[in-house]
Amino acid sequence: MRAMRKFLASANFLAGAAATVFAGGSAHAAQPAPWEINFQPAATDIMRQITWFEQYTLWFVVPITLLVLVLLAYCIWKFRASVNPTPSRTSHNTLIEVIWTVGPVVILLCLAIPSFQLLTSQYTPPEEAKLTIKATGNQWNWDYEYQTGDTLSFNSAILPDSDRAAAGKEDRAVYPRLLAVDNEMVVPVNTMTRVLVTATDVIHAFAMPSFGIKTDAVPGRINEVWFKAEKEGLYYGQCSELCGKDHAFMPIAIRVVSDAQYKAWAAAAKNDLPGANKALMAEVDGTNKVAAAGN
């Protein structure tokens, strides 16, 4: 199992490296891609574990599926009516019954052990959270409240196309249609972040695929998720619980920046959120242009 884990991890690394090369050194922005069949690139350790587990289970799912297909084809051909007019009256076979009892038990154990390990990791943060943010779902936007000494709260809603120019978000590769928002949640990189999730009206769901987190936002109840983003960039998710007619227009955007950039943004956002966002965007875009130029 350890050798298989290393092999899959190496394959995942090569895939990520290839994605980085084809991205041309631009800002890392995890978002859905056309005809995508894999998970979005992992930005947290938990998401890497989820990706590994998905690849690990395929080593069981694919052979079992092929085996069942072969057995069905064999039975259809071998015992077809034209060559087997008198059906067999065999009622049982001890060897076969032992195999189809012991085999699935062994396979389920091989799946259950890493599954429980992953589940334990998801509910056991490795350290205390340094930043706590309350996310409240509304029809159809999110309220974010930073649980810090200084009050900082704002609303985040889908960005209309008519407001893109004023917000400086006309680049649809970075700020895609139906995913771009007016105010992103901003967090520092490599910082344990706790998100308290609730709702004001109906059940929503807070989901960020690249972080490997998803939890329901239930009115009158607070659910908790955590993440520690390891890569700076802009990450997109969506409400993942059918919540009304505009469910498809309720995106989630989290911008991960350096600790210095986060502190400067937080200090400015208390008094001027739009100005703080534009200043942060200018700094991030400028940094990315320098990096893309190879300097």
Side-chain angles (χ1 to χ4, degrees):
M1 185 179 293
R2 182 175 298 178
M4 187 180 295
R5 184 189 289 267
K6 290 182 178 180
F7 170 77
L8 292 174
S10 300
N12 190 45
F13 172 79
L14 291 175
T20 301
V21 170
F22 287 113
S26 61
H28 181 76
Q31 55 185 266
W35 299 99
E36 188 171 40
I37 61 174
N38 296 317
F39 291 130
Q40 293 183 22
T44 65
D45 180 63
I46 286 295
M47 189 58 204
R48 279 198 303 273
Q49 294 183 50
I50 293 174
T51 301
W52 176 86
F53 183 69
E54 183 261 350
Q55 295 171 337
Y56 171 76
T57 57
L58 289 178
W59 288 91
F60 297 90
V61 173
V62 173
I64 291 172
T65 303
L66 293 177
L67 174 62
V68 172
L69 179 62
V70 169
L71 290 176
L72 283 173
Y74 174 79
C75 291
I76 292 171
W77 174 258
K78 178 71 174 179
F79 302 105
R80 66 190 188 276
S82 60
V83 297
N84 193 48
T86 304
S88 171
R89 294 183 177 276
T90 302
S91 61
H92 67 277
N93 183 294
T94 303
L95 177 60
I96 291 178
E97 291 179 3
V98 170
I99 291 175
W100 73 34
T101 300
V102 175
V105 169
V106 173
I107 293 172
L108 288 175
L109 283 175
C110 292
L111 294 174
I113 293 174
S115 175
F116 290 147
Q117 291 175 338
L118 174 59
L119 189 62
T120 300
S121 297
Q122 289 179 306
Y123 285 95
T124 310
E127 59 185 273
E128 285 294 323
K130 297 180 180 178
L131 175 63
T132 299
I133 303 172
K134 183 179 180 182
T136 303
N138 313 296
Q139 289 182 312
W140 291 268
N141 51 73
W142 294 91
D143 288 327
Y144 297 133
E145 180 180 339
Y146 285 65
Q147 308 289 303
T148 59
D150 298 322
T151 302
L152 175 57
S153 60
F154 55 87
N155 181 266
S156 178
I158 191 170
L159 182 67
D161 288 344
S162 58
D163 294 342
R164 283 181 173 272
K169 297 180 178 180
E170 296 180 285
D171 186 353
R172 290 178 181 260
V174 180
Y175 305 101
R177 177 178 176 270
L178 300 183
L179 289 176
V181 301
D182 51 3
N183 301 308
E184 297 91 3
M185 177 194 295
V186 180
V187 300
V189 70
N190 291 320
T191 299
M192 182 60 65
T193 303
R194 177 194 294 119
V195 184
L196 306 177
V197 182
T198 187
T200 59
D201 37 43
V202 300
I203 298 178
H204 302 278
F206 188 89
M208 185 55 61
S210 289
F211 295 174
I213 60 174
K214 177 189 287 186
T215 190
D216 281 346
V218 183
R221 175 176 176 177
I222 294 180
N223 289 328
E224 178 181 324
V225 291
W226 61 271
F227 63 85
K228 186 176 183 180
E230 300 172 347
K231 302 175 183 178
E232 295 183 27
L234 187 54
Y235 301 89
Y236 292 102
Q238 290 177 296
C239 173
S240 297
E241 188 75 39
L242 188 60
C243 59
K245 71 179 184 67
D246 283 344
H247 163 68
F249 306 96
M250 192 174 170
I252 301 167
I254 300 180
R255 187 185 293 275
V256 181
V257 298
S258 68
D259 188 62
Q261 290 172 332
Y262 168 75
K263 289 180 178 177
W265 171 85
K270 292 182 297 182
N271 301 315
D272 181 13
L273 180 63
N277 287 339
K278 288 186 177 181
L280 180 60
M281 288 171 54
E283 184 174 357
V284 170
D285 291 343
T287 301
N288 289 326
K289 289 177 180 178
V290 171
N295 297 323

